[in-house]
Amino acid sequence: MHLNHLDLQVPDVQATARFFTRYCGFTSHAKNHDSPAIAILGGQEGFVLVLQRRKRDSDTFPEDFHLGFLQDSEAPVLAFQERVKADGLEVSDVIRNNRGTLVYCRAPGGILVEVSCRPGAV
């Protein structure tokens, strides 16, 4: 079985799409790049990230819900952390533990994003 897509309901489709294209390497597949209602982003290996406008402001992600992006080595993890920090986004300190090297960042809409590397995991 191959993961095809993930559909996230977000309050600001375009702000969230800009985050994922700028920091996570997604590209836009939609013909209407300015739609406030939906953005369809392409990732690696055919993965598609769909962002749709949230219908109710009261709808939020569970506290520990997050997306994890795995890198080949520590260098891209550190580069991600520096880049989002330089752009003024909320980002964690670098965490090194038995799982590897990790950083966490809040994308628009409160989505927690983990960027990490684990020796031998990629």
Side-chain angles (χ1 to χ4, degrees):
M1 197 173 297
H2 181 80
L3 183 62
N4 174 262
H5 73 277
L6 177 65
D7 189 322
L8 298 175
Q9 308 296 302
V10 298
D12 186 333
V13 168
Q14 290 305 312
T16 308
R18 283 189 299 275
F19 176 90
F20 283 107
T21 56
R22 178 167 173 79
Y23 302 111
C24 302
F26 284 87
T27 57
S28 178
H29 282 307
K31 292 179 183 176
N32 182 355
H33 298 286
D34 299 322
S35 172
I38 190 168
I40 300 170
L41 307 177
Q44 293 183 4
E45 299 178 15
F47 178 75
V48 176
L49 178 62
V50 179
L51 305 170
Q52 292 193 66
R53 184 175 47 223
R54 186 180 289 162
K55 292 175 180 47
R56 294 178 299 272
D57 288 337
S58 61
D59 292 341
T60 59
F61 295 104
E63 184 177 344
D64 293 330
F65 173 84
H66 68 279
L67 302 178
F69 294 94
L70 193 58
Q71 298 289 342
D72 292 329
S73 66
E74 187 175 271
V77 177
L78 301 179
F80 172 86
Q81 195 246 13
E82 287 301 317
R83 190 169 182 200
V84 296
K85 183 186 278 187
D87 286 349
L89 298 174
E90 177 187 340
V91 64
S92 73
D93 291 333
V94 175
I95 302 163
R96 290 180 178 91
N97 60 28
N98 61 349
R99 291 177 44 218
T101 302
L102 310 93
V103 295
Y104 293 93
C105 178
R106 289 273 173 200
I111 302 167
L112 186 60
V113 174
E114 173 188 310
V115 178
S116 64
C117 70
R118 291 179 285 169
V122 176

